[in-house]
Amino acid sequence: MSDMTEQERLAAYDRMYADLLKERDKVLADMDRLRAAGKNRGATYQQLMAQKLTVQNLIGRFEIYGIKEK
């Protein structure tokens, strides 16, 4: 496996950040759907809540270094 160039590394970080934002949006939409169906006390909802917190934590770490949503 060859080493990444600096440009490839930056592009990989950009993709990872974009993927985290997409994952967050999907989790929030899934939580909204379950909440609307009155299923916000179930195991699936609780798993989504944990996933949301994890993803938001990772997004927050990017923001500490100045990378933020546009």
Side-chain angles (χ1 to χ4, degrees), residues 27-39:
V27 167
L28 291 174
D30 289 347
M31 289 176 73
D32 285 346
R33 184 178 40 77
L34 288 173
R35 197 170 22 256
K39 297 182 178 180

Side-chain angles (χ1 to χ4, degrees), residues 1-2 4 7-8 15 37 44 48 62:
M1 186 169 143
S2 63
M4 287 182 160
Q7 189 172 8
E8 289 169 332
R15 284 192 311 275
T44 301
L48 288 169
F62 273 88

Side-chain angles (χ1 to χ4, degrees), residues 8 16 21 29 33 37 40 47-49 51 56 60-61:
E8 289 169 332
M16 183 170 66
L21 296 178
R33 184 178 40 77
N40 56 328
Q47 289 170 340
L48 288 169
M49 178 66 78
Q51 186 177 358
Q56 284 182 327
R61 288 177 184 233

Side-chain angles (χ1 to χ4, degrees), residues 40-63:
N40 56 328
R41 296 193 183 272
T44 301
Y45 189 86
Q46 296 303 314
Q47 289 170 340
L48 288 169
M49 178 66 78
Q51 186 177 358
K52 174 186 141 187
L53 294 173
T54 300
V55 171
Q56 284 182 327
N57 180 289
L58 292 169
I59 290 168
R61 288 177 184 233
F62 273 88
E63 290 175 354

